[in-house]
Amino acid sequence: MSLFSRLFDFIGETASTAFSGVVEAVYTVFAGDPETRRNVAFSVAVIALSAKMAKADGIVAPEEVRAFQDIFTIPEAEAQNVARLYNLAKQDVAGYDVYAQRVAGMCGSGHANCAMLEDVLDGLFHIAKADGVIHEKELDFIAHVAEIFRIDETHFARILARHVHPDGIDPYAVLGLAPATPFDEVKKRYRELASESHPDRLRARGVPEEFLRLANDRMAALNEAYSVIEKARVAA
């Protein structure tokens, strides 16, 4: 029996009306397997945030559903049950802060600017911009989640710069540096961020395999930022 099938069998019909019951049940169903419990709890919480993110502007667009599927590769055996969870959670945006708090509690460090929680924010941005524009309500949603995650303003600005750049990418904002930063420091910062974003590092900090696609997107943004700065410095 698949993981989510076990979960739904335990919850029964209550899962059709109360998503909170799903989250609570994870800790009971997988009590004897802490690693599986953590992975399933993380996945359930992120499914909830992703669905509620898509609903934040009032419409769940097909592009947003596909974007969710891009970063959450679902085994065929789990597809029906994951769809049930997603559809249940997307009914409205009420209660998303509860799931954000649960995801935040899964960060092993317990400190601000947790790398794993930054991965989750990248996923939410990926979904928000799937229909071609990040709506104000979606941005407010993500910003509030970031506050719950204890992502400080400076750190959030760097994450935001990777995803929102209507006037063109600001390479220094992506790297979190001032334009006057010496190139040696730019190179050092780029290498640090690239190392943190490597898929192996994501695995090491407990990010499920489904979300490793985000590492490639982040690396692309970092590479572009560094390339723009390098070319500008060489031309100067």
Side-chain angles (χ1 to χ4, degrees):
M1 181 182 294
S2 70
L3 296 178
F4 287 104
S5 292
R6 287 169 60 190
L7 190 59
F8 272 105
D9 280 355
F10 178 83
I11 297 167
E13 293 303 317
T14 60
S16 64
T17 58
F19 194 92
S20 59
V22 179
V23 178
E24 295 297 333
V26 169
Y27 293 93
T28 300
V29 176
F30 303 103
D33 187 348
E35 183 176 355
T36 298
R37 180 180 62 192
R38 189 197 66 79
N39 288 335
V40 174
F42 181 97
S43 298
V44 166
V46 174
I47 288 170
L49 286 178
S50 298
K52 291 176 183 297
M53 171 73 255
K55 187 65 174 178
D57 62 348
I59 300 174
V60 181
E63 295 87 353
E64 292 172 327
V65 176
R66 286 194 291 271
F68 169 79
Q69 294 170 339
D70 282 345
I71 62 169
F72 202 93
T73 305
I74 304 166
E76 185 175 351
E78 304 283 15
Q80 184 175 355
N81 285 318
V82 171
R84 288 176 64 189
L85 289 172
Y86 186 86
N87 290 330
L88 180 61
K90 77 179 183 183
Q91 291 178 6
D92 57 41
V93 296
Y96 74 87
D97 52 334
V98 173
Y99 305 110
Q101 290 165 1
R102 289 188 176 278
V103 176
M106 294 172 194
C107 183
S109 70
H111 302 302
N113 300 327
C114 171
M116 185 189 74
L117 300 181
E118 182 175 348
D119 300 330
V120 176
L121 291 179
D122 273 341
L124 296 181
F125 270 116
H126 180 78
I127 292 167
K129 64 188 179 183
D131 57 357
V133 61
I134 297 181
H135 298 272
E136 182 178 353
K137 289 183 178 179
E138 291 175 321
L139 188 55
D140 288 345
F141 180 104
I142 297 175
H144 187 207
V145 170
E147 290 179 6
I148 295 172
F149 283 179
R150 297 177 62 199
I151 303 293
D152 65 40
E153 291 185 11
T154 300
H155 200 86
F156 183 69
R158 181 161 59 80
I159 299 171
L160 183 66
R162 289 202 298 264
H163 299 282
V164 182
H165 34 77
D167 299 321
I169 191 170
D170 180 342
Y172 290 98
V174 170
L175 299 181
L177 298 171
T181 302
F183 188 64
D184 285 347
E185 293 183 26
V186 171
K187 185 183 297 186
K188 179 180 178 181
R189 183 58 175 273
Y190 163 73
R191 288 175 175 172
E192 289 173 349
L193 294 176
S195 177
E196 292 174 6
S197 302
H198 192 280
D200 288 344
R201 294 290 293 273
L202 270 70
R203 290 188 184 94
R205 61 181 177 248
V207 175
E209 289 287 331
E210 292 89 349
F211 289 87
L212 295 181
R213 152 78 184 269
L214 299 176
N216 295 328
D217 292 343
R218 187 185 303 175
M219 280 302 306
L222 293 174
N223 289 339
E224 180 181 0
Y226 180 75
S227 177
V228 169
I229 294 173
E230 184 178 39
K231 289 177 181 178
R233 296 295 179 95
V234 170

